[in-house]
Structures are given as C-alpha cells and as structure tokens.
Amino acid sequence: MKKNILIKNLFLLFLSMMSFSCEDYLDIVPDRTQEISLLFNRRESAFNALANCYSYLPKKDDIYASFVVASDEITTPIQKEPNAIKLMKGEQSVSSPKMSFWSGFSGGAYQGSIWEAIRSCNILIDNIDLVIDMQQQEKDEWKAEAKFLKAYYHFLLLTYYGPIPIVDVNIPISADDSEVRIEREPFDDVINYIVDTIDESILGLPLRVTGSNDLGRVDQIIAMAIKSRVLLYSASPLFNGNSEFYSGFTNNDGENLFNLNYDIQKWQLAVDATQEAILAATGQGISMYQYTGDIPTFDETNYINPFIKTQYDYRYVVTDPWNSELIWGNSSPVDSWWRLQSGALMKNPTASSGEAAWQWIAPTMRMAELFYTKNGLPIENDLSFDYNNRYDVTPIAFINRYVAQYGQSTAKLNLDREPRFYSSLTFDRGLNRSWGEIWNLKMRKGESHGRNANTGDYLITGYGLKKIVHPDSEGDTYDKLVRYPFPIIRLSELYLNLAEALNELNGPSQQVYDALNVIRDRAGIPNVQDSWSDSNLTSEPGKHTDQVGLREIIRQERLIELCFEGHRYNDIRRWKLGLEYFSTSVKGWSVDEDNQSDFYNVIDVGLRAFNSPRDYLHPISFNELNINPNLVQSPGW
Amino acid sequence: MYLYNKYLKSFLPFLALFFSISIFSQVAIVKGTVVDESGIPLLGATIVVEGTTNGVTTDFDGNYLINVKKDNAVLIFSYLGFETQKITLSDQKVVNVIMKEDLNSLEEVQVVAFSKQKKSSVIGSVSTISTSDLKLPSTNLTSSFAGQIAGMISYQRSGEPGQDNAEFFIRGVTTFGYKNDPLILLDGLQITTSDLARIEPDNVASFSIMKDATATSLYGARGANGVILVTTKEGKVGKAKISVRYESSFSSPSKVNDFLGAVDYMKLYNKALRARDQSAPLLYSIQQIYGTENNGDPNIYPDVDWFDELFNDYAQNHRINLNISGGGDVAQYYLALSHINESGLLKVEPLNNFNNNINIKRSNLRANVNVNLSKTTKIATKYYSLFERYNGPTTSANDIFGMVVQANPANFPKVYSPDENTVNFNHSLFGNKGNGGFPNPYAEMVKGYKDRFSNTTLAQFSVEQNLDAITQGLRLRGMASVRTFLSNENQRSFTPFYYGLSEIQTDEGIDYSLYQIQEGTEYLNEPSVSNNGNSNFYYELVAEYNREFNEKHEFGGLLVANFTEALNTIGGGNTSFSTLPSRNMGVSGRFTYNYGKRYYTEFNFGYNGSEKFSEENRFGFFPSFGLGYIVSNETWFEDKFPSINLLKLKYTYGLVGNDGISAPSDRFFYLSDVNLNNGGTGFAWGADYNNYYNGYFVNRYDNDNVTWEVAEKSNYGIEFGLFNKMTLLVDYFQEHRKNIYMQRDYIPETMGLTTTISSNVGEVKSSGVDLSIDYNHVFSSGLFISGRGNFTYATNEILVNGEPEYQNQNLSRIGHPINQQWGYIAERLFIDQEDINNSPEQFNGFSSNNSYLPGDIKYKDVNNDGVINELDMVPIGKPYVPEIVYGFGFSAGYKNFDFSMFMQGVARTSFFIQPENISPFVNERNALSIIANNYWSENNPDPNAFWPRLSTNTVENNEKPSTWWLRDGDFLRLKSVEFGYTIPEKFGNFFSDVSARIYFTGLNLLYFSKFDLWDPEMAGNGLGYPPQRIYNVGLQVKF
C-alpha cells in the first residue's frame, strides 16, 4: 500500500505542476492594452474620435487625392503621375479602381475608404454619451456633427457611385456572411436618407461656429448649404429620370436603382433648400468676398480702376483664409510637397534655390478659352473679339499694361479678357502680382518661367495657375506657402445653384438674372441682360431669354466662377456632358519651343478618354463584388 | 487466462504492477547477481522462468531472488540493450550472470518522443538517417537533407555562405498558416533552423524525423508540421577514443550565367532602341563600338565582364573536427571541438585595407558528461557553445550576384585608371557615367564590410532516477535546458567616389578627361551597429514505465509535463505584442502494449496550453492511437515464407496541434490591437489649423474564438525485409489540416473596417507516400555493396479558403495545392498590328502609354470578356514547392578502398523566370546571351521566340506572370561522389590501434534538367548566389 501512495504522489506532482496556476503562466499580456472604449472615458481623448470622423474629408488640396486634377481643367507632366490624371486618360479599372472613395486610396496623403468614415461617425454617435467630463449639450452637438458628416459621406459616395448601400447603424464585427452582404438602395431613397439625416443634424448643430479654435467644424449654415448641393445634384439630368443610361440598372432582385421618370419637382426642392441656405448664410454675415487688404505700392494708383480692383477681389476669393464668403473650408490643409499650391506656385525668378517652386500644374487651353471677354461674353460670342485669329501673336498695347507686358507680344487670346481670367491664370508675357511685386512672366523654353531642364517640372500648357496660390506664398522654398482652408462650399455656389434650379424649374426670370448678377458684379463684368441684349456686342442676342440658352449661360458662369475648386468633374457628369468635355485631348502652347512664333502653336499635351455611359459612375472593385454578391456593378463596368 | 484478461482490462501499467509483485510460489529459491561485461551491476534486469509469468528484476546491486517451481526450469535474463540469456537450471541455487552488450540492439532502439523504444515496437512513422549520410563536405547540415530522408521535401535556393539554409518540410507543406516547417529538437530542446544547420554531423548520435500522429502528438502544440529529433553522442565506459577529421574543399558556382560582351551589347542595345521607336537617337556610336572592337583604351572603350570582375573562380574552405569520448563507472564523457573556415567568392579592391569577402570562422565546443551518482541515480549535463565570426560585404552577396545583371559591359569600367589629374588621389575612381546613378556592382561590393560575432549556447541538466524500488521498470527524469543567442554586428562603409569620362573637342581631335560625379569619402563612415538576442527555456519532467511479463505482455507508459518559454527577440520587431515572451505548457502521455511481439497497440496524447489564445480556447487535447502487427513473427509465417525476415503492418490515427498560426506580433487573438493616437487619421480645426487631434486606428479586431490549428493524420505503413539483406519501408499518409488561421475575405468594404478579419477557417487535405529501400550484401570475396533509395511524394489540396465566392472559378484557390501559382496563358507573340487589332485589349493597353506592339506577348482571354485582366489568371504549372523529392545511391568497398555516390532529384515543381529582373536594356541593364540568341524582331518574326520584341523601357505587358515565363523545375543531380582509402594498420605501426582514412568527395558535380539558364534548384532566384560545386579532400584518423 505504501507503493500505492507513492504512485499517487507522483500523479499529484504532475497535476500540481500543471495546475500551478496555468492562467498565471499563460497570461502574459499586461493590463491596459489599447481598446477603442478607452477613447470615450474623457473629453480630451474623445476629441481623437471626433478628429477621426473629420479625417476622412477628401483632401482637395492634395495633387494625388484631389478631383481638381481629375478633369480637363489642368494637366501635369509630373513624373509620379496622379491617379486622377490616369483616370481621365481612361485607365480606370475594376481590378484596382482609381480615386476610389469606396475602397480608399493612397497618394500623397492617405485617403481612407469613406465606409470607414461612416463607421467612425457611428462609433462616435454610439459612444459619446459615455464620456464623463462633458455636458449633455456638448455631447448632443458632437453627435449632430457626426450625424451631418455621416450624411455628407453618404453624399460623397452617391456623387461617384449613384445608388449606394445605406449604413445608418454599424454592423457588428461578429456578423455572419449574410448580414454583411448589404445591397445598393435606390438613388431617391439614398437622397431622402441624406436629406433627412442633414435635417436631423441641423436640430443639434450650433448656428454658426466662430470660435478661433473651432473653425472648420460643422454648423447649421454648412449643413443647409450642403443640403442645397445635395438636392441640386439629385435633380440633375444624370440622376433625374435618366432612362437613357440607367433603365437596366437594377439590383439582383430586379428593383430599379434609379427613378426613370423625370421629376421637375426635384428642382423645386433644390430651390427651396438653396433659398433657405442663402437666407441663413447672409443672416450670419456671410457675403460675396471683396478684397479689403492693403494695396501694394505698385497698384496704389491703379486700384481705383475697377478692372484692377475686381481682379483683387477674385484673386483672393479662395486663398484669403476664413474670408467672408467661405461657408465651409477644410481646416486641415495638406502640409507637404504634394499639395496643389506648391505644384502651382510660379517660380520666383530671383530665387537661387532649385527648390523654388515645382510648376507642375498647368491649366489647359480649354480653361484659357473658357473665361469671358472683358464684355462678359464667351469669346466665340463677342463680336469685338477676334475669335478666329485668337492664337495669333499680337503686340501688347498700352491699354493692356495692367495685365500684360506693354511692348512685348502675346497671343490675342490672352488679351481683352475678363478680370477673372487675369486673377486665375498666368501666361507668357503676362504679369504676376506676387511676393509684393509685379513680375514679368516669360514662359517660353529656356526663359525664367519656361521649361529649363529635362525634368517633369514645367508648365506643360504654357499657362500657370494663380487662383489657388496665395499671392504672399513665396517661391524661395517650397514650404513658404500661405496656408488656407480649401473651400468645400462658398456662397457663390449657392447663387449659382439657385440660378440653375430656378431656370430648370420655371425658365428665365428676373430671379435667375439677379442670382447670376451677384456673381458677375463681383467678377467686374456687365450684368447678364446687358451683355446678352446688345446685338452690336454679341453674336447671339437674347440668348438669355430662352431656357436652353440661359442654361448654357448659367453653366458657363458656374464653370468659370468655381474653376479649379473640384466642381468641374462632378458638374460635367451630372449634366451628362462627359463625351463633349472629357473625351478629347487637352491642349496647350508648344512649350518646348523658345522662339515666339513656334511657341504659339496649339498642340495636344495630354490624352483624355471618356467611355459613355460607363465613365459617369465609378466602378466597384471586382474583389468587392466577389465578396458581396448582392452588390451590383455600376453600368458598363 | 484470468491474468491475461486482467492485464487487458487494466490498461494503466501502474496498476498492473501489483499483480506481478504478488505472484510467487514456494518451491525453490534461486538467487544471484547480474552484471555487465565490465562488472557493473545491472539494475532492473528481468529474470523470468520460461513458460510462466513468474518473473523478477534485479535490485540496486544487481541482485535477484526468484522462486522456481520445478527442476530443469529455464531462466531468461534480459535487459534492454543486452543480449538475452537463457540458463537451464540443474540444482544450483546461485546463478550469477554476465550480460553481453547486444551489438544489434543498438540498432534496434529507436528514438521516439521523449524516450527510446525498441524499434520493432514502434508503430508510428519515424525515419532515422545514418549520420554518415549527412556528412557532406558542406558547412550547412540542412543542405544534405534532400533525397536522404523518406518523408522530407527539401531544396536549397542559395549557395551564399551563411545564408544557404535549405528549405525543408516534413511530408510537404500541409498548411498555409504562418508556421509550416517542422519542430526541431536537439536533445529535447527546441532550436532554430540555423542552429540545426550548424550542427556537426560527427557529434550526432541519431537523427530522426517524426511524421505521423502517434509519433508527434506528444508534442501537442508544436508537432503538427512534424518533428526533427537530433540527439548528440554520449560517452561510453572504456578508454579514451579520439577521432580527428580534417577536410579542405574548393567550391565554385554550379553554373555561371553568360552575358553579352560589350560590342554585342552595344549593337543589340541600339537595335532595341529602334525596335520601338524608329527615330530614336542611338545611344552607342559607331566609333564607340569600333573602338571597343579594337580593344581601345579601357577607360574610353570599356568591355567589362562584371562576373569576372566581381568574383573569384573558387573559394577554399577548411573544417577540422576533434572528438574524444570515454569514461569510467562513475562518469562518461563525450567532448568535441571543431573549427570551420568558410569563405565566399567575392573579390577585394586592392586600394582597400579591409576585406569585403565573406569569411566565416565558426568554432564550437560540445561537452556531454554523464555521472552515475548512485546505482539508481544518473545526472547528465550537455553543454554546447557555438562562436561565429562573420565578415562580409555590406550588401548581401546574393544581391551582389543579382547586381551583375544591372550593369552592362559597355558603360564604364569598374574603376577608371587615373589620368594626370587624378593619379595621386588616394581613392578608387569607381566607374559611372552621365550624372551618375547607374549601378556599379563593384563599388557596391567593395565599399564596405560587415563584421559580426554571434554566440549560441545550449546548456542542459538532467537527472534520472530509477524507481524500481517502488515498482519494477519505473523511472523518473527531470530536465532543464536553456538556449541563448546573442549577436553584434557592425557595418562600416565609405561613400564611393564616382567618376565619368567627358569628351572634349580640341583642335587635335577629341580629348577625354575624367570628371567627378559624386563626392565620396576617403574614410569609413560611422559604423551602424545592430544587436540581437533571444533565449529559450525548457523544463520537462518525465515518468516512464516499461515492463515485460511472461515474454508475452509488454507494457509501456510515459507521462510528461513540460514548460517552454521564449524571451526577448530583440531583432523581431518592437510592437507591444512581439516583445512579450511566448509560453507553452503541456502534459503528454503514451501507453503501449504488445502481445507476443506480434500485436502492438499504442495510445498517445498531448494536452497543451498556449499563451496566444483566450482562456476558453487556451488548451488543446490531441489524442492518437496506433495498431501494429508483425506478421513475420507468427510461427506459421516463418515456415511458409522463410526468405521474408520482416513483415510489419502499421496503422496510426490521431490529432496534432499547431499554435504557430501567426507572426509573434499578431498573437493574443482575444485582444484588439488599436492605436489610440494615430497620426494618419487625425484632423485639425481652428483659424490657424493648430487645434490638432490624432485619430485612432484599429490594427486588429479582437476574436475570442481563435484557437489551435489541428492536423488529423492517418498513416498506413508496411515494413518488409528480404533475405536479411533488403529492407523496404513504405508509408501512405493522409492529413486533414483544419482550423487554419487566415484572413476571411467575406467582409466587404461597406463594413468600414480598417483591417481584415481572420479566423480559423482554412482547411487543407494532404496525402502522399514515402518510402525507403536499403540493400546490403557482402560477397565472399570481401567486396561489399550497399544501395539505398528514398522517395517522397506529398501533394495537397485546399478544401476551405477564406476567399470570396468568386464568380470566376479560375481565381479560386479551392481544389488547388497550397503552392499553386497563378498566371496568364500566353498564346504566342503578336504577329503584326492586325493581329493586335483583332485580339482582346490587354491590361488597358489601348489607353495607356505602355501599349504593346507585334512581337509582344499575346495572352488568352480566358473568360471571354474581350479584355485581358486579372480575371483571366488561371492556375498554371506545378506548385513552387516540389511534390516529389527523391534520392538514390550506392556504396561499395573492396579491401581498403571504398566508393559511394548519391543522386538526388525533385519533380513536379515549376517556377517563373522573373522577366522584370533580367529584361535586358531597361535602364541600360546587362543582357544574358540567351536573349541575344533568340529574340523576336522584324527579321526573326518567330511567334515563339524566347524573348519578345526588344525594348529599352519596361513593357509591362511582357512582365506579367504567365506560361511564357513558367519553367519546369524538375532536376536530377549527382549530389555526391566519394572515394576513400583506408590506410592499412601496418602503416601505423608506431601507434597502436590507429586507423586512418583518406577520402575525396565531389558535391553537385552534375545535374540534368530541361531548364538551362541557371541551376534549376535556384528556381526564381536565378540571379542570386548560386549553389556550389565542391571538391573536397578529407582525412580521418581514429585512435
């Protein structure tokens, strides 16, 4: 029996070795590892959760993330080609979609999937009540911010993908296959969801954010302004009764994803929302921007000339930080070499550094031709403008000394144009009011602003871009730039929305002209009736009195006023004009020529391709479709 | 009968003990002492009266006392490792026995998990390899595995000294989880592949691999991918035996790539320029080509064979190994010392005062000492220390080999000879041109050196207590081991001065002068230092019981408790998870029973816990069982088939686990991994954009359910022996690997997760055959001959993959092997523009700048959607890891001469030539001769030419993985040939007992393969450091 006990003891020894607290032996992770719930302990850490919601806002000032680059407005020979350019060249693909808000993309800055943004907003809404050191009112405001952002993010996706799934509540991680396979909702349902969610958020948002620490955060005015854009888009030809493109666009169960009947009442909704937004905005002191800064000595005497003054007004409308016209700007500007501003900045000819400015981003010939003449008319309609010989070189007359170099020669196209032309573009033998001086621009090959080296750092069209470059941004080193919140929405757009929606709803009216003239007044051009009524001046007198004619006028006004701000890609698509604008090569001067006559030849400088109707909506990656068979691909892809 | 049933019922041998002890009768008493040949009493020797269950064992002093019922009884004395003796009693009352060591029985003992077993009783699938077969003149033990071991898939992709570990998998790759290579144990302690590679085969007592469930399930947590068990030699009682072995070898690449000379290069480059742009200005002028053709000034007309400039033809290596063993009754020792000096092929710049060639000096010391503390208590220590000094280039030698292809022969010499302006400079004028930036492999190679020392120490202490006093056949053993590794590395390099050559037009003609492109340093820059270290601890406690009753019933029992901990892998990243230790603990057991040496059963289990899993899923239970039947031990069999000396049938089935399912930084699956201060998702508000807050980022979502990967293994084996000369072992195995931790691609983007979700979803089914055959024959003339062969076939198929439900079935991995490769089907080269116009658009070729032309590769539109894109990829070729590895060889000896050779091959494997690595002229890259010999051109519009239309730019269309670049990786090589001569003893008369053998070995002398660009074993790594062909001479002396 003694032996028996020994054997027992042997077993006990083994067992005790095992049980000498297995948990202790195998529990080796120290406590307090990081979990999301820790964010919502305190207000200070909850800011990280709020910042996370905002961080997905598109980086419009990032050459690799911006849809400013994705159009026929500008082009670039930069060696590391932006995906937006590839997109426009027809290199979009289902295997790796470019500029995909659906999947996220990397470029200069990282752009996470907008679906992550929506999840982040829902996480904040679900958890913000847990924070200990916050008042209920502040919690409600944050919740309303997140709610608005959620709606805005849905709208971003809708802009590029049309009908999309709605994620109002996060699906849990543990959900099984069938729960995560959500499908696209009909376009109108998504619009209703977005509008309802914005309306809800307005109830909780502060009227107007003015605190110097808080600028850039969402308020009621912003929400109302965005709602105007949402409803304008929803009434637009691409999305409103577009049976031409989308009659076969259905979910797997046959449900139509677009309403195939045109509904004119959608314009009414847009009109109402826009009028409401304008009223609220102007009520908060938001107004069309006028330059109020110091007048540089070189313009002290000229400034009384309205032609000069209005140039200043438009020159600063984007770049003057937090100006009176800005409704919502991105308060987290990109701060690296890949920002648009450093790619557009003109070289300071006296700077010694080779890093002066990249000069990558060049407006296309189409943009140079888009601006009105000084009479407020399109160049092809202004009888005083030598349209047919516009590429011919002509000496610069004394009268043009404020916009170009008197005594030199340039193309006729560059002379006798509206002030916004001179505020937006630089051209050979033109002037650049910058760095506290007026610079004489010389942009042919080998000249101070021309192509000097065999690199990708040159303006491939022979035009440069002023509008998004602050005049005080210096060219010595690339980072001496004045930062500004890139506009997401500004007051001008609301007037243009109003003009467009009213004309579509009821045709020409004084109300439409008034809305347009707010824009034209500030631009320093005659009002729309005056310009278009004078048969001595225009080749199409009375065009503004006809709905179709006025539609063209409104569209051109919008393309000019909002140029280089990331609107064109969306506007052209929602007007169903993709083939017209996006399918032909972009053009420029022959910048690889040094003598004048060779330089002023228009050549192709970049391919553009557009496949209609395929390219109106972005593709969903085929991997995503494999994962979620309930999702249907965008038509044509 | 009563007793027999009882035994069967009481499976636990511990209980069975009581029966044996309570049996005795009262007729006559016989007593005596059992000792071995040197007179040491044997404890636990078994004495049984033949034909009965009556038996006893000896005590501490070797004494026994047994009751014998009748006269003329026969006593059977047995002891493991000794010859069994039968003594017929007349009327003696004292029988003292001297047991003789059973020389055969040394062979008969098989190393198994945590123990040793008689070979005949092993049912599990275990391959044991003779250490002499691993003794190749290579400094890397792993390089000798291929084809030597039934059940092991092995191949070696690189020959770079110090970086030449072979890849090896037991029964192939059976999981696509994180860890798919076997557990390696040296004397019970887990070691790394690199440790294994450095083991001296001279010191190895046994080398076994465990393949099936019963052989590995005791290792529970870690055994799923098979186990390699290496035990080192121990001392034996006797006078000191000394063995010295010295080898010296020459190694050179098994095959060298052939590149174009400068003249051909320049001509073809110009052609390539014009091949895509008829108006392109030529890069190389007629004068340049003419000057080179006429061997002009090498500064101006260089013609560089980079391979020759960089590498010597051969490298020389030396190895010496000394071991001494012996001992007395109290202590036995085995001591070994060895030193290896291995060098690489790299040349050294005469202007440098340091050596950038690879030079490895490796010394190791082993001391295994066993001490008999008392008659029942043994302690043993094993100590091993490896000290290594490595000197080599700052850029890895493998990369330098690769760079040969980056620099062409015509651009510049490796160094310019100085002109009058530069003649007094104290630095080398490394060649380059233009604004610089062209790779100069020579400068990269000689610009610095790396100096590393490292030390690996293994120390082990064990105690074994015989507990026969408690019950016969019971032993208890405890062991503690530690392994530490430390290394320190310094890299020093200078910045090379690059020069170019400029042409100056003078009145007399063209004058040339050197100009400096890049300012370098004439001194070595600050060194960059890196340290690395880690430690493993291992403890085990083993109780073992073995006993035979009545010569019919044999019981064995084993119970093991073990703990493992691995600490602080400094070099393994620094995330909060990867810096925590990893731990594992478990209890394992084995119970064996056999009846009449014919019927065998075995049950094993492992019960293991791992720190990686949540509390609910932390422990895994892995049982297995086996059945064996030795038919040849049946008496009827021996009568009927006298020539068949062995026929054994085996079957095993069981589960084995694997907790190495993810990288160390991705453990603790029950925790989420969130960065609460993530800069990438931050945002600023405020007038000055200064009110900035970071965001957060989820790197991993928590998942409590993640648990063990489990292998369900079954094995059918047969062992067959003929005429006592030939042995054939065949195993057929099946494995079903479940719970493979993998990414689940079922979460769409619309979920908004920042990372993917992984869980235990993957499943793989594997099967295969491994067999080995041995033949030995000694002719009466004294000629002996032996042959052997091994064959392993292992294939697998993915059953469940966390992939989406593909609409294009060709993209699914399900039903394909783990290492299956995907690619496009290349039909041929485009014939003309019309052919292109009539074919589907390839990779957006029409809209992009990378459009393709006639002579570029035309792909098949598999899904017929009118475009070629990823959807058209299909599984092509065989898996990257070979499915068949085999080897065969023979040795023969006559008088003092011996000769042996061994062939080794792999089959059922394919690989891609990487066109992006060898496509000539892109960035003025070098050109392989084979491309120049067979490329598409307007003059040679062969739609099946080896190389498509030439280009000086990347043509993406031609660089896709496709059947065009797929090659058959099968090969058969003459792995080794050895010729030896044993010096007759009379030569060594002045020493007594001296034997000496001198031998010559050749390694990797020949190979046969359909692929002829480079050594096929390198597969896709064709431009790396090639496997080495080695000529070796060795001398072994034993005292």
Side-chain angles (χ1 to χ4, degrees), chain B residues 864-885:
Chain B
N864 286 315
D865 62 353
V867 288
I868 310 288
N869 58 22
E870 282 161 62
L871 301 178
D872 295 303
M873 291 181 96
V874 290
I876 55 175
K878 297 281 184 299
Y880 181 72
V881 172
E883 290 191 328
I884 291 177
V885 172

Side-chain angles (χ1 to χ4, degrees), chain A residues 307 367-387 390 412-422 520 523-526 531-532 537-538 556-557 560:
Chain A
F307 195 79
M367 294 309 287
E369 297 185 332
L370 175 71
F371 287 92
Y372 294 143
T373 64
K374 62 187 176 192
N375 299 315
L377 286 167
I379 53 174
E380 65 272 28
N381 292 123
D382 188 331
L383 296 173
S384 72
F385 188 83
D386 186 4
Y387 178 75
R390 63 192 185 278
K412 286 183 176 172
L413 183 66
N414 296 337
L415 300 172
D416 300 321
R417 307 296 297 277
E418 62 161 319
R420 285 183 294 189
F421 176 87
Y422 300 105
R520 293 171 74 99
I525 50 175
S531 288
W532 286 97
L537 207 53
T538 172
Q556 183 160 6
E557 192 68 61
I560 294 170

Side-chain angles (χ1 to χ4, degrees), chain A residues 1 3-4 6-7 10-11 13-14 17-18 20 22-30 33-36 38-39 44 47-52 54-57 81 89-96 102-104 110 113 115-116 119-120 123-124 145 165 167 170-177 180-182 211-217 321-322 330-333 483-485 607 609 621-629 631, chain B residues 12 14-15 17-18 21 467 469-471 474 476 539-543 559-565 576-577 580-587 607 609-612 615 618-619 667-668 670-678 680-698 701-702 744-755 757 804-808 811 844 847-849 869-871:
Chain A
M1 285 323 279
K3 285 165 186 161
N4 202 356
L6 270 162
I7 290 163
L10 195 67
F11 264 119
L13 182 65
F14 272 93
M17 272 184 83
M18 283 312 297
F20 97 83
C22 307
E23 301 318 324
D24 283 358
Y25 188 72
L26 296 177
D27 247 341
I28 58 178
V29 184
T33 47
Q34 304 193 347
E35 291 171 58
I36 286 188
L38 292 179
L39 285 175
E44 191 61 19
F47 267 114
N48 282 16
L50 187 66
N52 206 68
Y54 276 87
S55 71
Y56 292 88
L57 287 176
E81 192 171 43
K89 286 162 79 178
E91 293 177 29
Q92 182 64 289
S93 75
V94 288
S95 52
S96 65
W102 193 293
S103 306
Y110 163 79
S113 159
W115 297 110
E116 289 172 20
R119 187 170 197 92
S120 177
I123 286 175
L124 187 126
E145 275 180 84
V167 180
N170 282 343
I171 301 171
I173 308 284
S174 56
D176 63 26
D177 304 22
V180 301
R181 289 177 182 167
I182 54 180
S212 67
N213 266 334
D214 297 327
L215 290 177
R217 287 177 67 177
W322 309 111
N330 188 321
S331 55
S332 216
R483 303 175 76 193
Y484 61 88
L607 290 170
S621 78
F622 86 86
N623 194 39
E624 175 83 343
L625 297 175
N626 277 325
I627 291 168
N628 181 356
L631 272 181
Chain B
L12 277 176
F14 298 102
L15 294 177
L17 281 171
F18 293 95
I21 289 165
L467 293 174
I470 298 170
T471 185
L474 182 64
L476 192 62
Y539 312 94
E540 74 177 31
L541 186 62
V542 181
L559 208 53
V560 184
N562 61 62
F563 301 84
T564 317
E565 181 171 30
S576 65
F577 286 169
L580 289 167
S582 69
R583 286 180 182 163
N584 203 293
M585 67 193 304
V587 190
Y607 179 66
S610 166
E611 90 289 356
K612 302 176 177 68
E615 277 179 37
R618 201 160 271 176
F619 282 83
R667 291 181 290 160
F668 314 116
Y670 53 97
L671 298 172
S672 61
D673 178 8
V674 185
N675 179 354
L676 293 179
N677 249 316
N678 182 49
T681 54
F683 198 78
W685 301 282
D688 298 324
Y689 333 109
N690 284 337
N691 188 17
Y692 176 81
Y693 283 91
N694 277 330
Y696 57 89
F697 194 86
V698 182
Y701 294 94
D702 52 324
R744 283 195 71 187
D745 283 333
Y746 78 109
I747 302 282
E749 307 267 9
T750 47
M751 275 285 272
L753 304 187
T754 50
T755 182
I757 290 189
E805 292 169 28
Y806 286 112
Q807 287 151 22
N808 304 67
L811 297 178
N844 279 323
S847 53
S848 75
N849 298 330
N869 58 22
E870 282 161 62
L871 301 178

